[in-house]
Amino acid sequence: MRRTVFNEDHEAFRETLRAFIEAEVVPVHEEWFAAGQVPREFYYKLAELGLFGINVPEEFGGAGLDTHKFEAIQYEETARAGVSFGGSGVHVLLALPYIKALATDEQKKRYLEKFVSAEEMWALAMTEPGTGSDLAGMKSTAKLSEDGTHYVLNGSKTFITGGVHADRVIVCARTAAPTAEDRRFGISLFAVDTKSEGYSIGRKLDKLGLKTSDTAELAFVDVKVPVEDLLGEENKGFYYLGSNLPSERWGIAYGAYAQAKAAVRFAKEYVQDRTVFGKTVASFQNTKFELAACQAEVDAAEAVADRALEALDAGELTAAEAASAKLFNTEVAHRVIDKCLQLHGGYGFMNEYPIARLYADNRVNRIYGGTSEVMKMIIAKNMGL
């Protein structure tokens, strides 16, 4: 079936991005995988390519567009090549919406030009040890100083993607106690300069997958955050977080679809070349049936991903719809990638094959951005159950 989500400009961008990946990423990706992160300098190349400024207003050096379709192509092309761009996705998909929606004109002038050029890479710090999906239970605090010039930030965060390379981090912290009526009240957002005294990076976490993404623990000990770096209104942070969750979950859903599509491609190429018992693996009926079933699931996931993309760009993607897309596509990807790895036999267990890395990378999709169980709760509530 013909896809209608992308136009000629999008496809031209795809060709440019594919050539860039082949020239700048594929030859060194094994080194990044072994190091557990991409070089900080690589982000300047992404900035030169224009990836960080697509949705940034022209007055701040961006292209002034308002679409997620170029991000969607990036998901497809990185998955197709079996590579990743480290924590750069957080910079654009997660951090930028908060800056655009909440920053004052003065803040945008300070933040966005450096954002576009990669002079300042951004991350988002929500999760804390022991809280997970229960963001209202966070313990980090930010207390306003007596002279009203700054907040004093204390606490810790974990599982922070892009946390090692980040120059600024949007930190969620309590500025007031929750009320009896609303335990979500009292959380605020701050654009914290990582060079601030008392700010420290703990362990760079050793993950099952996403090896090129720098994921870290962060700690704050009496960090002074100027009041000029408060994002939005005090105590309304939880509601700001909720408003951006649909786009975050769309990104996970789309990325999962792209991974599943890539897995089928990797498996198809492998079984056509691999010979057992004097025949190619592709010639066996079981191989054909397994890949045919995988392709059918990928086709369905693509339709869900594209429909959610169009709704997101139109500003119409609801929390329940985003949860449904994330739940469906991440579960599809789980099944498809597992079957495609199985068709690789023992080689599918070797990290030198992209299917092995894809298998490990994909597993977190059903956890972060809200677990599959949380997605089911959201969908069920929307059904009136």
Side-chain angles (χ1 to χ4, degrees):
M1 292 173 282
R2 183 172 64 90
R3 295 179 81 184
T4 59
V5 70
F6 300 121
N7 61 29
E8 292 181 359
D9 291 339
H10 299 129
E11 294 304 333
F13 172 77
R14 185 190 300 278
E15 292 181 11
T16 298
L17 182 59
R18 187 174 295 183
F20 173 84
I21 289 172
E22 288 297 325
E24 300 288 346
V25 182
V26 172
V28 293
H29 196 261
E30 294 294 336
E31 298 174 20
W32 297 356
F33 186 86
Q37 62 186 39
V38 305
R40 175 64 175 81
E41 295 74 22
F42 174 68
Y43 293 138
Y44 292 113
K45 293 183 179 181
L46 294 181
E48 291 174 5
L49 194 63
L51 293 189
F52 296 157
I54 292 171
N55 290 332
V56 173
E58 293 182 39
E59 62 188 294
F60 303 113
L65 303 180
D66 188 18
T67 176
H68 289 78
K69 292 183 178 180
F70 294 96
E71 293 167 35
I73 291 170
Q74 182 176 317
Y75 283 125
E76 292 183 348
E77 290 305 308
T78 51
R80 178 185 180 277
V83 301
S84 77
F85 288 171
S88 63
V90 170
H91 183 67
V92 175
L93 183 63
L94 299 191
L96 182 58
Y98 290 102
I99 302 172
K100 291 178 66 176
L102 303 177
T104 64
D105 290 342
E106 183 276 331
Q107 287 175 322
K108 289 177 180 178
K109 290 177 183 177
R110 285 194 289 125
Y111 299 152
L112 285 177
E113 287 188 7
K114 293 179 181 179
F115 182 100
V116 172
S117 69
E119 182 179 344
E120 284 189 349
M121 293 298 296
W122 288 62
L124 177 63
M126 294 190 289
T127 305
E128 296 182 359
T131 60
S133 296
D134 182 19
L135 295 178
M138 68 176 62
K139 304 298 184 185
S140 294
T141 61
K143 297 182 179 180
L144 188 63
S145 62
E146 292 184 3
D147 62 7
T149 61
H150 63 273
Y151 291 85
V152 180
L153 175 64
N154 284 282
S156 63
K157 301 289 181 179
T158 192
F159 306 147
I160 308 306
T161 302
V164 174
H165 285 322
D167 302 287
R168 276 196 184 268
V169 177
I170 299 174
V171 177
C172 314
R174 282 210 163 274
T175 44
T179 66
E181 297 78 19
D182 188 359
R183 63 190 295 266
R184 298 171 295 183
F185 173 81
I187 293 172
S188 300
L189 308 184
F190 300 91
V192 179
D193 186 340
T194 63
K195 297 186 293 297
S196 301
E197 184 177 354
Y199 180 104
S200 63
I201 301 170
R203 292 184 301 150
K204 181 166 74 70
L205 300 174
D206 184 14
K207 308 181 297 297
L208 170 67
L210 301 178
K211 290 293 189 179
T212 65
S213 172
D214 54 307
T215 304
E217 295 174 331
L218 306 179
F220 322 112
V221 180
D222 294 334
V223 177
K224 292 182 179 180
V225 183
V227 293
E228 292 82 7
D229 286 328
L230 171 70
L231 281 176
E233 294 184 41
E234 195 178 77
N235 300 325
K236 293 187 177 180
F238 190 95
Y239 309 102
Y240 298 144
L241 296 172
S243 67
N244 280 313
L245 280 174
S247 64
E248 178 182 353
R249 288 168 178 162
W250 164 81
I252 298 169
Y254 208 98
Y257 143 69
Q259 289 174 325
K261 182 177 181 179
V264 172
R265 174 172 173 264
F266 296 145
K268 179 183 174 182
E269 292 175 352
Y270 179 82
V271 298
Q272 287 175 325
D273 291 337
R274 176 70 170 164
T275 302
V276 294
F277 306 121
K279 301 167 63 177
T280 64
V281 175
S283 67
F284 291 93
Q285 185 182 66
N286 179 69
T287 303
K288 296 176 182 178
F289 281 8
E290 288 291 279
L291 281 178
C294 287
Q295 183 62 54
E297 290 216 84
V298 169
D299 287 344
E302 181 179 87
V304 170
D306 285 356
R307 189 176 70 170
L309 172 55
E310 295 284 24
L312 181 63
D313 270 10
E316 299 172 352
L317 186 66
T318 68
E321 290 166 347
S324 178
K326 180 181 185 296
L327 176 65
F328 181 80
N329 279 12
T330 57
E331 294 293 338
V332 164
H334 163 66
R335 293 191 296 270
V336 167
I337 294 170
D338 184 72
K339 289 179 180 179
C340 289
L341 186 149
Q342 187 73 15
L343 289 172
H344 281 72
Y347 289 104
F349 205 64
M350 301 296 110
N351 275 328
E352 64 186 276
Y353 281 77
I355 192 67
R357 300 194 294 268
L358 199 57
Y359 182 88
D361 290 350
N362 173 261
R363 185 59 185 88
V364 76
N365 287 339
R366 291 181 289 151
I367 298 173
Y368 68 0
T371 64
S372 290
E373 292 73 24
V374 170
M375 298 303 100
K376 292 175 183 176
M377 290 171 61
I378 295 169
I379 297 165
K381 182 178 180 180
N382 186 64
M383 295 170 65
L385 299 175

